Amino acid sequence: ASVLETNTDVTAQRATEDKLDRTRSELAHLSRIATMGELTASIAHEVNQPLAAIVANGEAGLRWLGRAAPDLGETKKSIEAMLRNAQRASDVVRRLRALSAKSTPAHAMLDLAAVAEETAQLVERELRVQGVRLLADLPTGLPPVEGDRVQLQQVLLNLLLNAIQALGAMPPERRTISVRVQRGERESLGDAIVVTVEDTGAGIAEADLARLFDAFFTTRSDGMGLGLSISRSIVEAHGGRIEAGNRPDGGATFRVCLPVAGSAA
Ligand SMILES: Nc1ncnc2c1ncn2[C@@H]1O[C@H](COP(=O)(O)OP(=O)(O)O)[C@@H](O)[C@H]1O
Ligand SMILES: [Mg+2]
């Protein structure tokens, strides 16, 4: 009877874990959609640019054809440029779809420096518009972590958007974000990859540090307070840790530590 009981316990526990997994990924999905809302201007711009280029290339092609002696070589170049730009637009849409898709979590070996690089590209326009300088230290050849690419991108995206928002109130010469990916030993995690996102904003009030990762905690008038709470649940589901603090010379610092694949502590 004791064996049966144990099996039932294990089955029940697994069912609970599966359910938790699904709830987490649904929440993560909802917050990704919300985050994409914050990126609407950039998204529109990224799709519009290649579309505008296609129109210009098409017009140029027609002009080359409409000449008394049509220039087929130039027409061909215009058509090729149209195809390149159409490909670019479709790449943007594919990236967005991946971010908004309701996918079941996929586990892959990931290079966190590459994931950070891709995420930085998503906020390129936000950085430019707000005049924020991004210093990135993303070495190649770090050992991989195991996890879901979209979810980990979401964590870094939340941290970057928060940092950009924190810098909005700062004078232009004090708008810097630095992103670093390093290998490090972490107590209780062992061999780990550590991602640090720091900004030169006003930092976090001492009293808020303890509540930062709580669901619905926000100090922004249009904030939802879900970004950090979902980020923490994602990081912990990956066996990692996320922590926040203030830099000695002002500004917030966030650190995400994830175990190196195969180095279970
Ligand atoms: N880089 C940062 N600098 C200062 N405060 C921050 C930073 N990142 C997050 N915070 C604080 O944490 C709160 C919660 O962040 P988050 O969970 O992303 O929700 P939201 O962005 O919707 O407010 C923010 O409202 C802000 O008070
Ligand atoms: Mg946020």
Side-chain angles (χ1 to χ4, degrees), residues 38 158 162 165 220 227-228:
E38 296 182 43
N158 281 329
N162 280 348
Q165 283 155 359
R220 299 194 297 119
L228 288 178

Side-chain angles (χ1 to χ4, degrees), residues 4 20 26 46 60 75 94 103 122 144 152 171 173 180 187 203:
L4 259 184
L20 259 176
E26 272 164 27
E46 272 208 66
T75 309
R94 191 169 38 73
S103 54
L122 287 174
L152 292 178
E173 70 278 9
R180 222 167 34 243
E187 197 185 323

Side-chain angles (χ1 to χ4, degrees), residues 112-134:
L112 268 188
V115 174
E117 170 84 50
E118 291 157 11
T119 314
Q121 280 170 16
L122 287 174
V123 295
E124 216 172 20
R125 188 179 142 84
E126 267 65 28
L127 293 167
R128 200 158 11 93
V129 168
Q130 303 262 17
V132 174
R133 217 155 45 108
L134 182 73

